[in-house]
Amino acid sequence: MRKYRLMNFTDKTVLVTGGSRGIGRAIAQGFAARGARVAIVYRDNKAAADEALAGFDGEGHIAIAADVADADAVEQSVNSIVETFGKLDVLVNNAGIGIYHPLPESSYEAWQDAWQQTLQTNLIGPANLCFCAARKMMESGGGRIINISSRGAYRGEPIKPAYGASKAALNSLTQSLAIALAPHKIYVAAVAPGFVNTELSAKRLGGAEGAEIKAQSPFNRVAEPEEVAHAVFFLASEGAEFSSGTIIDVNGASYFR
Ligand code: NDP
């Protein structure tokens, strides 16, 4: 029987995009608490990134300001992380945006802008990160990639359709790369949360539809960021290799696909 170092990431190096706030911060913090050296990528809120870093256990963690929608910035970030840490073991594609653009009320210009921005940040950015990270992982003998998707990929997103489409495409990317990268010992999977208690969802949760959103789950609440992070740690852990290609739902039984 094999013995596993359950949920222990000592000597591992981890990149979490959007690791300065919300779900990404809980993921980065949890990896640090389990022994990993962590690099977080954020867009422009340096104060939040500095605050997050200061709260991580252990030493040697770094924060990089880069827009994941910028292909050159993505490449430079991955290169500088590998130069600093010597290798990259785990990539968590967590950074994402959700822009409201309900079809009946949006101008054609706003509609196009929402699609461009959302796909660039939620799909093309993660695809580029997968490319740059996987090339490094291939050189070092393997790794893990975990993409943060959404329940919206399955249930639909009527007021932000580009968001739902970007996450459905991210699921497909996850599955394609799980097959393509298996021979290189790179294991690729996704986590699809329902509503989570973060700034991204705060406005809706605090508004008129807050009670209805909570009632979607029989637990009558939304997830905490740490509950999403828990699934990420499983997928990154030794022993989860054969779960490559899976998409774990963390939606409090609010939607079954
Ligand atoms: P938050 O809005 O709370 O945090 C977003 C994080 O991503 C911040 O660190 C932000 O950096 C960073 N970020 C955003 N855009 C970019 C970019 N272009 N380049 C680099 N960094 C960027 O998000 P959540 O924690 O709520 O969401 C995290 C992920 O989980 C997303 O992919 C989201 O789609 C997904 N998700 C969230 C749900 C929810 O209910 N909250 C439900 C289902 C899925 P900065 O602060 O500098 O802007």
Side-chain angles (χ1 to χ4, degrees):
M1 214 164 106
R2 285 195 239 174
K3 284 196 176 161
Y4 297 115
R5 295 183 309 161
L6 274 180
M7 305 289 203
N8 185 321
F9 301 106
T10 303
D11 301 328
K12 299 292 182 194
T13 60
V14 182
L15 162 57
V16 183
T17 66
S20 58
R21 294 192 285 114
I23 296 168
R25 179 174 171 161
I27 293 168
Q29 196 160 22
F31 272 116
R34 290 165 177 79
R37 267 209 296 174
V38 178
I40 58 172
V41 164
Y42 66 99
R43 186 176 37 190
D44 48 25
N45 188 342
K46 186 175 184 309
D50 288 343
E51 195 194 315
L53 269 192
F56 293 172
D57 291 322
E59 283 171 10
H61 312 299
I62 58 172
I64 296 173
D67 185 345
V68 298
D70 178 338
D72 291 336
V74 162
E75 186 175 34
Q76 283 161 18
S77 302
V78 171
N79 286 344
S80 86
I81 288 163
V82 172
E83 271 165 33
T84 308
F85 289 168
K87 61 175 179 148
L88 177 60
D89 297 302
V90 181
L91 162 66
V92 183
N93 269 317
N94 162 81
I97 56 167
I99 301 169
Y100 294 158
H101 55 291
L103 189 147
E105 293 118 59
S106 300
S107 69
Y108 190 35
E109 199 180 21
W111 174 264
Q112 289 178 67
D113 186 53
W115 276 90
Q116 290 284 358
Q117 278 193 59
T118 305
L119 292 186
Q120 200 63 43
T121 303
N122 293 7
L123 177 63
I124 297 173
N128 288 338
L129 275 145
C130 285
F131 182 94
C132 295
R135 287 300 183 100
K136 299 290 183 193
M137 290 171 181
M138 284 163 69
E139 284 169 22
S140 63
R144 314 273 172 140
I145 298 174
I146 297 138
N147 296 322
I148 305 303
S149 176
S150 171
R151 181 185 72 168
Y154 304 104
R155 194 172 177 263
E157 291 283 357
I159 56 174
K160 37 181 191 169
Y163 178 85
S166 72
K167 296 299 190 179
L170 188 63
N171 288 345
S172 178
L173 174 71
T174 301
Q175 291 164 336
S176 297
L177 293 186
I179 300 168
L181 298 176
H184 301 282
K185 294 189 166 51
I186 300 170
Y187 309 104
V188 189
V191 177
F195 271 95
V196 186
N197 186 17
T198 73
E199 284 170 52
L200 189 78
S201 53
K203 213 169 152 197
R204 292 182 72 185
L205 288 172
E209 55 178 341
E212 185 275 320
I213 289 171
K214 288 178 190 155
Q216 290 172 7
S217 164
F219 299 104
N220 198 31
R221 66 175 179 86
V222 301
E224 291 303 320
E226 291 73 17
E227 293 176 303
V228 180
H230 195 71
V232 173
F233 304 144
F234 163 71
L235 291 169
S237 70
E238 215 174 304
E241 293 79 9
F242 216 60
S243 295
S244 192
T246 198
I247 300 162
I248 298 182
D249 291 319
V250 182
N251 67 32
S254 65
Y255 185 77
F256 297 124
R257 55 191 162 95

